[in-house]
Amino acid sequence: MSDVEEAITLAHRDEWARVVAALTRRFGDLDIAEEAAAEAFATAVERWPADGVPPNPGAWLTTTANRKAIDRIRRENKRDDKHREAQMTYDDPPEPVGAIDDDRLRLIFTCCHPALAMEARVALTLRMVGGLTVPEIARAFLVQGATMERRITRAKAKIKAARIPCRMPSADDLPARVSGVLAVLFLVFNEGYLASGPDTDPVRHDLTTEAIRLTRLIRALLPQDGEVAGLLALMLLIEARRPARVSAGGELVPLAEQDRGAWDAELIAEGHRLVRERLAAAAAGVAPGRYQILAAINAVHTSARDIRDTDWSQVLTLYDQLVRLDPSPIIALNRAIAAAELDGPEVALAIVDRLAEALAGYHAYHATRADLLRRLGQSQQSRAAYDRAIELAGNTGETAYLTRRRDQLQ
Amino acid sequence: MQYLVSVIDDKSNPGSTDRRPAISAFNERLIAEGYWVFSGGLADTDAATVIDNRGEQAVFSDGPFVESKEYLAGVWVWEAPDLDVALKLAAEASKVCDRKVEVRPFL
């Protein structure tokens, strides 16, 4: 990659959201903001190789995008011009400041508005804040490009028609809104960590990286929010294990069999720091939320040099705490996996079997049962459970792993 | 911007019937704060008549245009600067009238 190409890639990663956010605030219209931002980047691709990279790429892009937006509005001669004309005259584009500004956070909160469907929030956040293209987002979520385009268009239309404001929610709305934002970011991360389709890589590094980047953004703006810290820690500790998670043959490697030397020590250290920060807050009487507890569970796993050193009783205690907050069958299933290590596969199987009705369509339920049955020497039943898990698993790396385990059964 | 706030009742699991004083008090507040445009409760769907005069002659039929468990029990029209304000009021309205409400902007 040439220096200019690299500068453009970097500017796209670092400045896209800020340019879109600044224009959204100024013109009050996501479409105009997005199209003008895209035009500004296209102009950069044309001009920078000849003119050189400007000293402040962010400011250059914002100014260029502003001009493009004004041109577009003039050209289209919109009905509600007066309002916009006034903004164009009196609101000089602000120079981008620092790494993060409130414009970006405002944009995230607009994209994650509770009046939008969850899937629309995810798509819109990746498009407007993450700068991912529609085909990229469609690929990540295994839908047709046209379907994703419709989803995004519909969300933008609702924002306009229902007049969803592009502003930071007030302090008393914030807790309710932040939880939606975090849910969106965790969905993006999970899709990257265990991609759900047969036609995609088992791990989508681009999605996990983007989710972590956006969570860092929220963290910088809401440093006091425990769940933001918890989610960031959780993502970092899961991401740290990524290098050990897929074998050379493309097979998913479960936690117990991973090469722990390949884990990212820096990410683990950062994750552990955040978890310790939250433990201190918990000791001072602040009750932790689910992301903080999940992060603590992952801190226990990443503290063990060997699977045999894992403090399973600590893991189980944390799961008990989590079940009280979130009594979902999926949490109960994960708790059972820890219980198997502490109390044996027979006890765990009894817990798992009680979840049959709720989780009949969930591949991890059948994979867990298959493993427990295998450990109990019930090969025939184990094989049947592997078959069902393979049928339901969408991820190629996971299917490969489950198939091998099944075929090893006597 | 004006929003239509539809009050949705449920035939099999209806909301409580003692809401009138609370709704009146809420309306007073909406008026005082400048959000209130119009409001009204609706008679039961049994009282509805559907008219179709798209053909040769008008056809009158007894009953609502759609038979369902859920039905429109009343409406508000509010003037609010944006959806966030409307949603905040709507959350209160749902509690006040003990029913689900739907918020929809006018064109």
Side-chain angles (χ1 to χ4, degrees):
Chain A
M1 209 189 285
S2 75
D3 287 354
V4 176
E5 278 170 46
E6 206 181 316
I8 291 170
T9 307
L10 239 128
H12 193 268
R13 198 193 64 200
D14 296 341
E15 307 292 347
W16 168 270
R18 192 178 305 146
V19 175
V20 171
L23 268 73
T24 304
R25 179 171 52 76
R26 189 164 173 203
F27 300 103
D29 187 312
L30 291 180
D31 273 325
I32 288 176
E34 190 202 330
E35 281 163 19
E39 278 183 63
F41 278 94
T43 310
V45 171
E46 250 170 57
R47 299 255 302 271
W48 292 6
D51 302 353
V53 178
N56 185 344
W60 188 96
L61 287 162
T62 308
T63 310
T64 308
N66 265 299
R67 257 188 238 126
K68 300 278 180 196
I70 292 168
D71 288 350
R72 178 175 290 267
I73 292 162
R74 293 226 166 100
R75 215 168 41 237
E76 290 173 4
N77 196 16
K78 291 249 163 99
R79 275 171 293 130
D80 42 341
D81 250 4
K82 272 197 191 119
H83 175 64
R84 288 195 182 122
E85 199 77 52
Q87 279 174 315
M88 281 185 244
T89 321
Y90 299 114
D91 187 358
D92 281 320
E95 291 292 304
V97 284
I100 293 155
D101 47 58
D102 272 345
D103 269 358
R104 266 206 271 189
L105 193 60
R106 232 193 311 267
L107 188 62
I108 294 179
F109 277 99
T110 307
C111 292
C112 296
H113 197 278
L116 299 173
M118 204 53 170
E119 54 184 22
R121 289 188 220 174
V122 174
L124 208 57
T125 304
L126 288 176
R127 177 76 200 110
M128 304 304 291
V129 187
L132 268 63
T133 65
V134 174
E136 279 172 338
I137 302 167
R139 257 202 312 281
F141 291 94
L142 303 165
V143 298
Q144 297 291 314
T147 307
M148 190 51 79
E149 184 80 63
R150 260 198 309 280
R151 214 174 264 179
I152 292 173
T153 307
R154 211 183 147 265
K156 283 187 196 159
K158 177 159 186 187
I159 288 174
K160 212 184 267 186
R163 203 175 287 191
I164 290 177
C166 183
R167 68 157 177 252
M168 281 286 295
S170 61
D172 49 333
D173 297 329
L174 213 54
R177 294 280 179 92
V178 171
S179 67
V181 170
L182 298 183
V184 165
L185 297 177
F186 198 35
L187 268 177
V188 172
F189 183 86
N190 278 330
E191 181 55 31
Y193 199 66
L194 189 68
S196 50
D199 300 323
T200 171
D201 292 335
V203 177
R204 294 283 316 270
H205 179 41
D206 50 345
L207 291 180
T208 56
T209 310
E210 187 58 19
I212 289 174
R213 198 176 67 89
L214 295 176
T215 308
R216 281 191 195 283
L217 217 64
I218 307 281
R219 160 88 179 151
L221 282 141
L222 302 168
Q224 304 305 324
D225 190 302
E227 280 294 85
V228 174
L231 180 62
L232 181 56
L234 174 61
M235 288 179 178
L236 293 172
L237 294 174
I238 299 176
E239 178 75 359
R241 305 200 294 260
R242 190 171 53 82
R245 211 159 151 268
V246 181
S247 73
E251 200 178 278
L252 221 56
V253 184
L255 184 63
E257 294 164 30
Q258 285 176 15
D259 168 14
R260 296 183 176 221
W263 288 355
D264 187 322
E266 221 169 288
L267 292 182
I268 290 176
E270 190 187 354
H272 283 186
R273 267 201 305 282
L274 286 164
V275 170
R276 278 198 300 275
E277 177 193 311
R278 295 318 306 161
L279 286 176
V286 186
R290 64 186 297 259
Y291 296 125
Q292 291 169 72
I293 300 173
L294 283 166
I297 291 170
N298 279 277
V300 176
H301 284 308
T302 44
S303 299
R305 283 164 190 273
D306 187 285
I307 183 80
R308 284 178 301 247
D309 301 335
T310 307
D311 185 349
W312 288 107
S313 70
Q314 177 78 355
V315 172
L316 204 60
T317 306
L318 288 164
Y319 269 119
D320 287 338
Q321 209 178 336
L322 190 57
V323 167
R324 282 196 291 275
L325 274 185
D326 178 2
S328 81
I330 292 182
I331 299 289
L333 178 69
N334 288 324
R335 187 190 164 279
I337 295 170
E341 300 303 324
L342 215 59
D343 306 326
E346 202 161 2
V347 174
L349 187 63
I351 304 172
V352 169
D353 280 342
R354 284 201 292 274
L355 305 169
E357 204 178 325
L359 298 179
Y362 183 48
H363 64 97
Y365 163 76
H366 297 283
T368 306
R369 269 197 85 230
D371 184 55
L372 295 170
L373 289 162
R374 180 186 58 76
R375 285 154 75 175
L376 290 166
Q378 301 182 26
S379 300
Q380 214 173 341
Q381 283 163 287
S382 174
R383 186 183 307 275
Y386 275 122
D387 283 340
R388 187 78 187 113
I390 291 162
E391 224 173 285
L392 291 167
N395 183 293
T396 47
E398 197 174 21
T399 312
Y401 168 75
L402 293 169
T403 307
R404 183 169 62 80
R405 290 314 291 245
R406 180 194 60 193
D407 296 346
Q408 281 171 346
L409 284 169
Q410 296 304 313
Chain B
M1 173 146 226
Q2 293 197 331
Y3 293 88
L4 174 69
V5 181
S6 307
V7 178
I8 304 155
D9 208 346
D10 186 327
K11 285 207 193 287
S12 52
N13 184 22
S16 48
T17 50
D18 58 351
R19 311 313 295 168
R20 216 169 262 262
I23 294 171
S24 295
F26 182 60
N27 279 336
E28 291 301 324
R29 220 192 85 207
L30 290 172
I31 292 166
E33 290 172 10
Y35 299 121
W36 191 89
V37 178
F38 174 83
S39 71
L42 294 173
D44 192 87
T45 49
D46 290 351
T49 312
V50 170
I51 301 99
D52 186 353
N53 196 14
R54 293 170 301 174
E56 300 248 309
Q57 56 182 3
V59 178
F60 296 82
S61 48
D62 179 27
F65 72 98
V66 57
E67 283 290 356
S68 73
K69 206 163 73 68
E70 293 186 324
Y71 67 101
L72 186 67
V75 295
W76 269 286
V77 178
W78 295 338
E79 177 69 49
D82 59 46
L83 186 67
D84 282 354
V85 176
L87 291 182
K88 199 169 241 177
L89 293 171
E92 284 183 60
S94 165
K95 196 149 254 164
V96 165
C97 66
D98 190 29
R99 275 150 184 90
K100 287 201 288 191
V101 300
E102 179 197 83
V103 177
R104 255 169 97 182
F106 279 90
L107 279 177

